[in-house]
Amino acid sequence: MNVHKGLILDETAKFHQDVQDDRPFVPGTTEIWPAGAVLDERDRTALVEAALEMRIAAGPSSRRFESRFARTLKRRKAHLVNSGSSANLLALTAFTSHLLEDRRLRPGDEVVTVAAGFPTTVNPIIQNGLVPVFVDVELGTYNTTADRVAQAIGPKTRAIMIAHALGNPFEVAEIARLAEDHGLFLIEDNCDAVGSTYDGQLTGTFGDITTVSFYPAHHLTMGEGGCVLTSNLALARIVESLRDWGRDCWCEPGETNKCLKRFDYQMGTLPEGYDHKYIFSHVGYNLKATDIQAALGLTQLDKLDEFCEARRRNWRRLREGLDGVPHLILPEATPRSDPSWFGFAITVDPGAPYSRAALVDFLEGRKIGTRRLFAGNLTRHPAYIGQPQRIVGDLANSDIVTDQTFWVGVYPALTDEMLDYVIASVKEFVGGHS
């Protein structure tokens, strides 16, 4: 290692220690965030080292991360992108590719999804001219069921795209069987659920394709970033093309003529021998991430098991501490699952003598951060009113989520002292309103 580089990295590690906030937790004063990145000196030095190497585009760290992450999630291929939202867009758009011939999704085809969730699980459906078919969720798990999905499948249904809610797996094995029986594509939005299992199998391994987010709130972070994973090599090739401007060439940036046929192609109505690096087989995007992000992702990945266990431990502490509190519907793991939780959802019973808003205001006044269960019922938002859609059922629980549900954090930086203060605060509020 270059002497100057070594000195800079040593000083970076010392700087990290110098800027750590070692102040003790003060109830009602110290912010208890619902989510956030957990970063150590290895993360900081990895970022600085990548910057020193001027790795400003996708490069060796990106390829190394893709390889390691694919092995971690037991998929054959992983493609790093600039966000989880972009991952969802690429995952669904891949199924519209002409390379899938008669199986490709076409405008007007239907995709079954969930009404209560985050918009970027649904947006790619609309952005591709497809029709979302909305189904309701269960209170407690905040996931839909295989029965609801089965009832939603109609003659125009061609795919299913659902997220594992707050890290809690939906009935993914049963829904994967439904997809297979009906010849449907299955896209798993695994952005909140890295490390979760269903029937002992990792989520993200049941569908044709899966997505992950590396936003700071998620299990691993690159600041921004996401990933598309699949074991179907044809789909992986389509995703890569769509991510990289739609080009047909698969050479990495900086590579030239890796296939030894760069000037031997003839595609479309282009002349024979047109440079393959500039032949475009899809109407694509530029959604790549950078090596600086990937360098952070690699150090974060080393801590994935530790992070997942902390999330499980923190969720259990909240669940045990709040058990039996009147008028609260507490979260439940989907049967046969082991969630790597993203958050701890609480629903105030509609018949409670207090409102969700009052409880949230009380907690926020004590510096306890809360969040809504994302968009609640998406069909009630301005963006989706008037959009082509089909609704199966009355979405009653999605409406309850919209009005009555919020969540608090379980991410690894939260201490037992913080969690106990959250529990005590909820009990104090409810005790004063019962």
Side-chain angles (χ1 to χ4, degrees):
M1 181 185 294
N2 177 281
V3 173
H4 295 294
K5 176 181 171 182
L7 289 172
I8 291 170
L9 296 182
D10 287 344
E11 289 301 316
T12 299
K14 294 175 184 176
F15 173 79
H16 182 88
Q17 295 302 321
D18 288 344
V19 298
Q20 291 307 291
D21 187 353
D22 295 325
R23 290 175 294 180
F25 171 67
V26 180
T29 299
T30 305
E31 296 272 4
I32 301 177
W33 293 101
V38 179
L39 302 166
D40 62 19
E41 66 183 61
R42 291 172 294 168
D43 299 313
R44 193 183 294 270
T45 54
L47 283 172
V48 171
E49 183 174 17
L52 290 173
E53 297 290 342
M54 296 294 283
R55 298 202 303 265
I56 57 176
S61 290
S62 299
R63 292 191 290 273
R64 191 158 60 249
F65 180 87
E66 288 172 336
S67 177
R68 283 189 56 193
F69 198 57
R71 290 197 302 272
T72 299
L73 265 64
K74 304 185 186 306
R75 301 285 81 187
R76 292 180 70 183
K77 296 292 287 185
H79 286 97
L80 191 59
V81 296
N82 61 353
S83 73
S85 302
S86 294
N88 280 348
L89 176 62
L90 289 177
L92 187 63
T93 304
F95 293 105
T96 70
S97 171
H98 62 280
L99 297 180
L100 299 181
E101 299 178 340
D102 291 343
R103 290 205 69 202
R104 67 185 292 192
L105 299 182
R106 298 178 183 275
D109 287 343
E110 293 182 345
V111 181
V112 178
T113 191
V114 171
F118 199 75
T120 56
T121 309
V122 174
N123 290 350
I125 302 171
I126 297 169
Q127 289 161 340
N128 277 286
L130 308 169
V131 179
V133 179
F134 291 107
V135 296
D136 206 2
V137 298
E138 295 285 292
L139 298 179
T141 67
Y142 303 98
N143 283 304
T144 194
T145 62
D147 286 343
R148 284 192 170 95
V149 172
Q151 291 169 19
I153 295 172
K156 294 184 177 180
T157 306
R158 301 292 310 285
I160 301 166
M161 186 170 184
I162 302 175
H164 299 287
L166 291 178
N168 194 16
F170 59 83
E171 294 175 346
V172 63
E174 292 85 346
I175 290 174
R177 282 195 292 271
L178 272 177
E180 184 177 3
D181 291 345
H182 289 85
L184 311 177
F185 298 118
L186 175 59
I187 302 104
E188 281 183 80
D189 181 335
N190 202 42
C191 290
D192 292 349
V194 173
S196 296
T197 63
Y198 188 82
D199 281 344
Q201 181 176 333
L202 283 170
T203 55
T205 62
F206 291 85
D208 297 286
I209 204 164
T210 190
T211 59
V212 172
S213 172
F214 302 124
Y215 189 71
H218 288 100
H219 291 58
L220 303 173
T221 189
M222 295 183 184
E224 298 284 355
C227 201
V228 184
L229 302 102
T230 184
S231 289
N232 183 314
L233 296 184
L235 281 177
R237 180 71 194 92
I238 293 167
V239 168
E240 182 177 45
S241 174
L242 287 166
R243 181 195 66 177
D244 298 356
W245 307 283
R247 68 178 186 168
D248 198 74
C249 179
W250 56 86
C251 288
E252 295 285 347
E255 290 182 343
T256 299
N257 204 20
K258 184 177 181 181
C259 64
L260 304 179
K261 294 172 58 179
R262 177 179 170 189
F263 300 107
D264 294 335
Y265 284 91
Q266 195 289 311
M267 300 180 71
T269 61
L270 292 167
E272 183 78 29
Y274 197 84
D275 189 343
H276 192 224
K277 289 177 74 70
Y278 293 99
I279 295 177
F280 298 89
S281 52
H282 291 93
V283 178
Y285 308 89
N286 178 5
L287 300 176
K288 298 188 299 299
T290 69
D291 239 37
I292 291 177
Q293 291 170 276
L296 175 57
L298 284 166
T299 55
Q300 285 274 294
L301 188 53
D302 291 336
K303 295 167 280 197
L304 178 59
D305 290 344
E306 173 190 337
F307 286 165
C308 291
E309 179 49 40
R311 288 175 174 275
R312 291 182 171 103
R313 183 174 61 249
N314 291 343
W315 187 92
R316 286 194 300 268
R317 193 175 190 92
L318 288 172
R319 187 63 178 77
E320 292 166 2
L322 293 172
D323 191 44
V325 175
H327 311 297
L328 295 183
I329 300 171
L330 298 182
E332 298 285 350
T334 302
R336 311 201 319 273
S337 77
D338 183 14
S340 176
W341 295 97
F342 180 75
F344 187 92
I346 298 173
T347 297
V348 176
D349 190 286
Y354 53 87
S355 68
R356 176 206 51 80
L359 174 54
V360 166
D361 285 348
F362 182 80
L363 296 177
E364 293 280 351
R366 292 190 165 202
K367 305 296 184 182
I368 297 169
T370 67
R371 294 290 185 269
R372 303 304 293 268
L373 187 44
F374 306 130
N377 185 346
L378 278 165
T379 68
R380 295 170 60 178
H381 286 256
Y384 305 95
I385 294 172
Q387 294 281 3
Q389 60 186 251
R390 184 161 65 87
I391 296 174
V392 178
D394 58 10
L395 304 184
N397 288 339
S398 296
D399 284 333
I400 291 173
V401 166
T402 306
D403 297 332
Q404 303 295 120
T405 302
F406 67 98
W407 57 271
V408 295
V410 297
Y411 79 109
L414 299 180
T415 65
D416 288 351
E417 191 177 9
M418 292 174 176
L419 296 168
D420 289 344
Y421 181 63
V422 173
I423 293 166
S425 296
V426 171
K427 287 182 172 179
E428 180 179 333
F429 175 86
V430 173
H433 291 80
S434 296

